[in-house]
Amino acid sequence: MSEPVGATQGAGRNQVLRVRDLEIGYSTDRGLVRAVRGVSFDLEDDDSLAFIGESGSGKTTLGLSLVRLLPQSASIARGEIVFHTASGGELDLTDLDDETLRRFRWRECAMVFQSAQNALNPVMRIRDHFADTARDHAETDGVLKGRALTERATECLQLVQLDPDRVLRAYPHELSGGMRQRVMIALGLLLNPRVLILDEPTTALDVLTQRAIIEVLRELREGHRFAMIFVSHDLSLAAELADRVATTYAGRIVELGDVEQVFYHPRHPYTVGLLDAVPTLAGEHQELSSIPGSPPDLIDLPSGCKFHPRCPYATDKCREEDPPLIEVAPGQTAACWHWEKVGSDWEARGGERHERDANRA
C-alpha cells in the first residue's frame, strides 16, 4: 500500500499505530453512510494526536474503529489498521479473532468514552469495574486480584486526583460527572496501555471540571509518556494537549500538522472557519463568524471538494475535483486547491492575533 504524503511523523521514534486508506460505512435504510473516507496517519510513542471537527465528521467512528468497537451496522470497507506491540510484533486490527482482540483491548490500547455515566455499570461499585477489567486479562497478564488489584486501582485513582477510599466503594451515581470521567481515565490506565484514546473527554462538564481534567491529562502524559489520541470539537483542548492536530470534514482528514502549524498557520478554509468561530479572551473585541451552511449528507456527498458548498474560495475546479492531501509545509498537509491563497489571507488579516491568543476557551 502506498505511503500517503505527510503520514509519517517523528523520525527516529517508535511507531505504535499505522492507519492507511481507512474506509468505514454504516448501512442504513437510505443507503451507505460514508463516515470515514480514506483516512491515513501514523502515531508514535509519546505522541499526542487530536482529531477536531464538527459533529458528524467521523471522529468518534474513527476512534471506535481503533479498538474494534463499531456497532453491527458499521463495516470497514477497506484499509489497514496496524498496531506495533511492545514485543516488536504487528497486529492487523482489521483481521483479529475475538480472543486476540479481547486481549488487545485495554492491555495495548484503551478508550475513554464520551459519556462516563453510560460507560459505567450503574449496579456495580467502582472497585468491581477494576476487578472486571483485570479478570478479563488474567490469562495473559497474570492474576491481578486481591491486595495487588487494590494497590493498582488505588495508584490509578491517585493519578487522576481521586480519593481511592471513597471512590472504590462508591456506585457511579454517587460520583459527580468530573469524578466519573476521571474514573474512566483511571480504568483506561489500569493495564498500562501503550495508547489511550479519549472521545470528547470534557464534554458536558462545567468549566472548572474541564480545567481539572485537562490538568490531569497533561500530568499523566508528562509522567507516563503513553501515546494519546483524542477526538474533540474543543480547539482549546487540542491546543493544550496535542502535539499534532488533524482537522476532519465529511469523514476525511483535510489538514494535518503540528499544533503551531494548524492553529497559527492554517492552510484549509475549514480550519480557518473553526478558528474564527472561537471567541478570544484577550485583545480587541472581535465579531465571531460561523461557517455558513451545514455539514454534508454522508449518504449523498457533494461532488468535488466536499467543503465547496460552504467555502468562500470555491471555484469550478473545487466543484468538480476532490483535492488530494498534499504537503504545504514541512510536516503539514492540506486538501485544498487554494491553500496558498487561504494562507496568505490568514496572515494578511491578522494571524498574529490568533497566535497571541492561543489559549482560548
Side-chain angles (χ1 to χ4, degrees), residues 233-340:
H233 61 267
D234 188 339
L235 273 65
S236 63
L237 181 65
E240 291 203 53
L241 293 178
D243 301 317
R244 294 186 295 140
V245 175
T247 306
T248 58
Y249 187 78
R252 182 188 179 195
I253 294 176
V254 295
E255 186 163 7
L256 174 64
D258 294 342
V259 169
E260 291 79 6
Q261 293 173 320
V262 174
F263 284 174
Y264 303 157
H265 307 285
R267 294 297 181 261
H268 195 282
Y270 180 58
T271 306
V272 172
L274 292 176
L275 293 170
D276 284 342
V278 178
T280 60
L281 297 179
E284 298 179 1
H285 172 73
Q286 299 287 334
E287 292 292 333
L288 297 182
S289 60
S290 61
I291 302 174
S294 302
D297 184 344
L298 296 181
I299 296 177
D300 185 19
L301 288 165
S303 61
C305 174
K306 311 314 174 193
F307 187 61
H308 85 256
R310 310 171 70 186
C311 180
Y313 295 90
T315 61
D316 288 341
K317 184 175 184 178
C318 303
R319 287 181 274 272
E320 297 169 1
E321 301 179 43
D322 201 3
L325 196 64
I326 63 170
E327 188 170 52
V328 299
Q332 182 180 11
T333 56
C336 180
W337 295 119
H338 308 292
W339 64 267
E340 292 176 296

Side-chain angles (χ1 to χ4, degrees), residues 19-53:
V19 177
R20 292 291 181 271
D21 299 322
L22 188 62
E23 296 264 358
I24 302 174
Y26 291 89
S27 298
T28 70
D29 293 338
R30 287 184 54 223
L32 183 68
V33 177
R34 300 181 63 192
V36 174
R37 302 182 302 114
V39 168
S40 298
F41 66 91
D42 292 337
L43 186 73
E44 284 76 31
D45 54 8
D46 192 25
D47 191 11
S48 177
L49 174 60
F51 288 87
I52 62 171

Side-chain angles (χ1 to χ4, degrees), residues 116 160-162 175-185 201-206 208-210 212-213 216:
V160 296
Q161 301 175 9
L162 290 176
L175 305 176
S176 68
M179 294 173 72
R180 288 193 294 265
Q181 196 68 36
R182 281 183 278 177
V183 165
M184 288 299 300
I185 296 172
T202 60
T203 296
L205 301 177
D206 62 81
L208 293 178
T209 304
Q210 288 183 26
I213 296 294
V216 164

Side-chain angles (χ1 to χ4, degrees), residues 1 47 60 62 78 127 135 148 165-166 186 207 210 218 220 231 252 255 270 283 312 338 348 359:
M1 191 170 292
D47 191 11
T60 295
L62 178 61
R78 67 181 178 91
R127 68 160 60 95
R135 187 184 309 115
D165 292 335
R166 174 193 173 190
V207 174
Q210 288 183 26
R218 180 187 288 114
L220 288 173
V231 298
R252 182 188 179 195
E255 186 163 7
Y270 180 58
H338 308 292
N359 293 324

